[in-house]
Amino acid sequence: MNEANISLEERDAIFTRLRRYLWCMDTGNISAVPTNFTADATIRDVTGKLWNAETGGVPGFANHFLAASNRPWGQHWIQHMSVQDAGDGKILVISYWTGLATDPATTERSVRHIGCHRDTMIKIDGTWLIAKKIIDPWNADTITELGPMI
């Protein structure tokens, strides 16, 4: 894949969408999470589970991770590393992420996860949305899947 040749305004719109998704996750806004995705979007979560129409899709993913009674307060930090042309009007954004957590019972803070997001974005009716999200932990297996950025 080649680096995407898109305007700064388009990149900003894409990055804004990805930040909105994380804001919804960090603030526990289950009903708003799906507004960042296409209707038929798929997610492969950090455990490797695929969330598609048969497994509850984006709403199922959001409910699974955000409605858990023992869910720590979380905050994601993201750094976009690459914006690539994925063909057919789609853009692939590869980002590093760090998940910070605060235990609600003890207020102890820790780095919970580090990883890589691969988001396939598509513009629908003038709005960039996430069509496919892959959330990988950072380890020897997942970094080899990424391949070279160049």
Side-chain angles (χ1 to χ4, degrees), residues 1 18 21 36-45 50-52 58 86 90-94 117-122 124 129-136 145:
M1 270 184 223
L18 294 172
Y21 154 75
N36 296 290
F37 291 83
T38 62
D40 61 347
T42 61
I43 300 173
R44 188 178 78 193
D45 71 29
L50 179 65
W51 295 90
N52 57 21
V58 176
K90 295 177 182 173
I91 300 293
L92 173 65
V93 179
I94 298 174
H117 284 185
R118 287 177 278 170
D119 293 290
T120 303
M121 309 294 295
I122 189 164
I124 298 177
L129 296 171
I130 305 165
K132 180 179 180 182
K133 176 176 274 301
I134 298 172
I135 308 168
D136 280 328
E145 288 181 23

Side-chain angles (χ1 to χ4, degrees), residues 21 25 42-51 61 64-65 76 97-99 112-118 133-139 141-142 145:
Y21 154 75
M25 292 297 290
T42 61
I43 300 173
R44 188 178 78 193
D45 71 29
V46 72
T47 71
K49 179 175 179 169
L50 179 65
W51 295 90
F61 163 82
H64 175 77
F65 282 97
H76 289 85
W97 63 271
T98 303
R112 189 164 184 211
H113 296 289
I114 60 171
C116 184
H117 284 185
R118 287 177 278 170
K133 176 176 274 301
I134 298 172
I135 308 168
D136 280 328
W138 193 258
N139 60 42
D141 295 330
T142 60
E145 288 181 23

Side-chain angles (χ1 to χ4, degrees), residues 20-42:
R20 284 182 184 153
Y21 154 75
L22 288 175
W23 182 257
C24 293
M25 292 297 290
D26 289 349
T27 59
N29 192 339
I30 295 171
S31 63
V33 171
T35 66
N36 296 290
F37 291 83
T38 62
D40 61 347
T42 61

